[in-house]
Amino acid sequence: MTNVIKLRKGLDIHLQGRAEEKKVSITKCDEYALVPAAFTGLTPKVVVREGDKVQVGDALFVDKVHPEVLFASPVSGVVTAVERGERRKVLSVKVKADAQQQFVDFGTSDVSSLKGEEVKEALLKAGLFGYINQLPYAVTANPADTPKAIFVSALRDMPLAGDFEFELKGQEKDFQVGLTALSKMAKTYLGVGAKQSSAALLQAKDVEVNVFDGPCPAGNVGVQVNHLNPVNKGEVVWTVDPTAVIFFGRLFNTGKVNLTRTIAIAGSEIDGPAYVDALVGTPLSAIPQVNALDGMESVRLINGNPLTGVQTTAAGYVGGHTSEITAIPEGNHADEMLGWILPRFSQFSVSRSYFSWLCGKKEYALDARVKGGERHMIMSGEYDRVLPMDIYGEYLIKAIIAGDIDKQEQLGIYEVSPEDFALAEFVDSSKLELQKIVREGLDILRKENA
């Protein structure tokens, strides 16, 4: 019988513009770019030069610290540019795509007969291992580590997040093979939502399936790790996006790298929210709904969902872990007569100072304004109401700000990632950038323990 874990803490934010379950085509594009910033904790070292010819699956850059971790080109063609920023930081590696795509043939494999080390070696060789993350530190995984478990969350419940069940249709075989491959390296947990019904999820083989029933952030893999197999100091678990599991399955089934993923194009500012199939590295300008917003100062375009995504423009690219592109009002021209005195039926708030709490599950067109300035922390327990983890969120944030490493370890920093504090940041009356604070704390700990 499938294990059901009920969560009471959390918050579902209903935003306008959820993607309809239909796919639209993107315009043809000639140039693609792989962006190292999409892989947290990576120090990239470019292994190609401008003018080099590459095939799909050839490495464009590697991790400088762990050079065996390659990152495969999503297309075949000619390397046109290695774009760098301040202090020669690698921003992207661009490839002009061939009219006829050429693939590196890594050979098909029967994963049921492979050992864990063979699976790992195959992923490293094909440039796909970098799509695996790890806790602690919430960074790209180190292949030298032996994880005590691997976690896959098929539940995406952040505002405007793409529905993985829709993406999974027609790719069930690749998904199962990917899960089997992961199970060869360590015990693998698959987290699904109470409303998900796909047999490929609920009846998945070679993994332990757990159903999470509760509000957002029940789908956060960090929350699932906390409830199933918490991370202690000195331990490592790997976490894998469900789309990356499909990437792995395609590799073993076809012997080729295929980085096509289904992306939700959503938000109140999107005309015709829907899904698109796009390669990692596809220019956002190739997506018609996004290109229509180019240059509009009143719109906040986000690579990701509104809570955890990164602000971008139509000149950006589909990242390695991008599952949705969203657009919400910027709010820079908002003019509210009488300000906070109004009852505000049309705006959402977790407090009952807005009368919108009477409107049930109404969908809102929230804008990007912070609506207030940063101030001292108020120990009110507001983080704990939306953080379904066995940690004291407010005390952990204070310990990170104070730089008290011993306290951070005692309060469970090894178990968390920045996205676990996304809702706490949304409800925070002190207007602190909690995800940024957690990221900085994790980076400092990682250097201390290196």
Side-chain angles (χ1 to χ4, degrees):
M1 182 176 178
T2 304
N3 184 30
V4 179
I5 299 173
K6 292 186 177 292
L7 303 179
R8 300 187 184 280
K9 294 181 179 180
L11 176 67
D12 288 326
I13 303 172
H14 303 285
L15 299 185
Q16 292 178 8
R18 179 172 292 278
E20 296 181 22
E21 290 193 356
K22 64 179 183 180
K23 292 184 180 180
V24 297
S25 300
I26 62 175
T27 58
K28 184 179 180 181
C29 48
D30 296 325
E31 194 173 64
Y32 295 76
L34 200 59
V35 180
F39 305 95
T40 307
L42 171 71
T43 304
K45 178 183 177 181
V46 180
V47 294
V48 293
R49 296 180 179 179
E50 292 183 17
D52 284 357
K53 186 77 170 66
V54 296
Q55 293 181 311
V56 180
D58 282 333
L60 296 181
F61 52 82
V62 302
D63 185 352
K64 202 171 191 177
V65 181
H66 305 290
E68 67 273 27
V69 180
L70 316 175
F71 291 84
S73 174
V75 294
S76 69
V78 177
V79 177
T80 56
V82 177
E83 187 179 9
R84 296 181 183 271
E86 294 182 6
R87 304 180 69 177
R88 292 188 56 77
K89 177 181 178 181
V90 181
L91 301 180
S92 66
V93 180
K94 298 181 179 180
V95 179
K96 183 177 181 181
D98 291 331
Q100 187 68 35
Q101 291 292 289
Q102 303 293 322
F103 295 80
V104 177
D105 188 358
F106 295 100
T108 60
S109 301
D110 179 8
V111 292
S112 62
S113 63
L114 297 180
K115 297 179 180 178
E117 283 300 318
E118 292 174 320
V119 170
K120 183 192 296 185
E121 185 61 33
L123 295 178
L124 286 168
K125 186 178 178 181
L128 294 180
F129 185 88
Y131 289 83
I132 301 176
N133 290 333
Q134 72 166 52
L135 290 176
Y137 312 126
V139 294
T140 301
N142 178 0
D145 290 334
T146 301
K148 69 172 184 175
I150 299 175
F151 288 82
V152 179
S153 174
L155 172 59
R156 295 175 179 150
D157 57 1
M158 287 290 182
L160 301 178
D163 183 356
F164 180 68
E165 278 194 294
F166 181 73
E167 179 178 357
L168 183 59
K169 292 177 180 178
Q171 304 186 88
E172 293 85 354
K173 181 180 178 182
D174 290 333
F175 184 69
Q176 179 57 65
V177 169
L179 290 177
T180 301
L182 292 175
S183 71
K184 297 291 182 176
M185 295 188 285
K187 180 176 180 180
T188 302
Y189 296 86
L190 174 63
V192 302
K195 296 181 181 179
Q196 291 181 308
S197 58
S198 172
L201 297 177
L202 299 178
Q203 299 173 23
K205 301 179 179 66
D206 303 317
V207 297
E208 180 181 306
V209 179
N210 295 276
V211 176
F212 286 82
D213 185 5
C216 177
N220 279 17
V221 70
V223 172
Q224 298 181 9
V225 171
N226 182 264
H227 282 82
L228 296 172
N229 199 342
V231 182
N232 299 309
K233 186 175 182 180
E235 297 178 336
V236 173
V237 300
W238 288 352
T239 64
V240 187
D241 181 87
T243 301
V245 178
I246 295 176
F247 293 167
F248 301 164
R250 289 173 184 161
L251 173 67
F252 292 110
N253 284 334
T254 67
K256 299 176 182 178
V257 171
N258 182 349
L259 298 179
T260 303
R261 62 185 304 155
T262 301
I263 301 167
I265 311 301
S268 58
E269 299 303 291
I270 294 291
D271 183 16
Y275 289 83
V276 299
D277 285 334
L279 284 168
V280 171
T282 299
L284 299 186
S285 58
I287 302 172
Q289 298 98 319
V290 173
N291 195 45
L293 303 175
D294 190 25
M296 295 179 62
E297 296 181 359
S298 60
V299 176
R300 173 73 62 92
L301 187 64
I302 304 168
N303 198 328
N305 66 73
L307 289 187
T308 64
V310 178
Q311 185 175 358
T312 187
T313 66
Y317 299 89
V318 173
H321 298 286
T322 299
S323 56
E324 57 272 333
I325 302 295
T326 53
I328 61 174
E330 187 68 58
N332 48 357
H333 300 302
D335 185 13
E336 298 179 355
M337 184 179 66
L338 300 180
W340 57 267
I341 298 176
L342 293 176
R344 299 194 185 198
F345 285 97
S346 60
Q347 295 191 33
F348 176 78
S349 174
V350 293
S351 75
R352 295 199 173 186
S353 59
Y354 289 11
F355 283 13
S356 56
W357 64 272
L358 295 169
C359 300
K361 295 183 178 181
K362 176 183 175 180
E363 293 185 342
Y364 298 89
L366 299 187
D367 59 43
R369 289 177 296 159
V370 177
K371 297 183 180 178
E374 187 175 309
R375 59 200 73 139
H376 294 296
M377 283 186 68
I378 303 169
M379 303 298 285
S380 61
E382 59 187 355
Y383 297 178
D384 294 332
R385 288 193 285 271
V386 296
L387 188 62
M389 301 175 72
D390 189 20
I391 61 173
Y392 293 104
E394 291 172 342
Y395 291 96
L396 176 56
I397 292 295
K398 289 187 71 174
I400 295 173
I401 293 172
D404 190 335
I405 292 177
D406 289 338
K407 274 285 189 193
Q408 293 173 41
E409 291 179 342
Q410 294 169 12
L411 291 167
I413 192 169
Y414 292 117
E415 298 183 51
V416 302
S417 59
E419 69 173 11
D420 295 328
F421 282 81
L423 276 173
E425 184 176 297
F426 178 80
V427 304
D428 184 19
S429 57
S430 299
K431 311 297 181 183
L432 300 178
E433 295 183 72
L434 300 184
Q435 294 181 80
K436 181 181 178 181
I437 291 170
V438 172
R439 180 73 270 162
E440 291 173 350
L442 291 171
D443 290 343
I444 290 172
L445 267 177
R446 189 182 178 207
K447 290 179 181 178
E448 289 287 332
N449 294 329

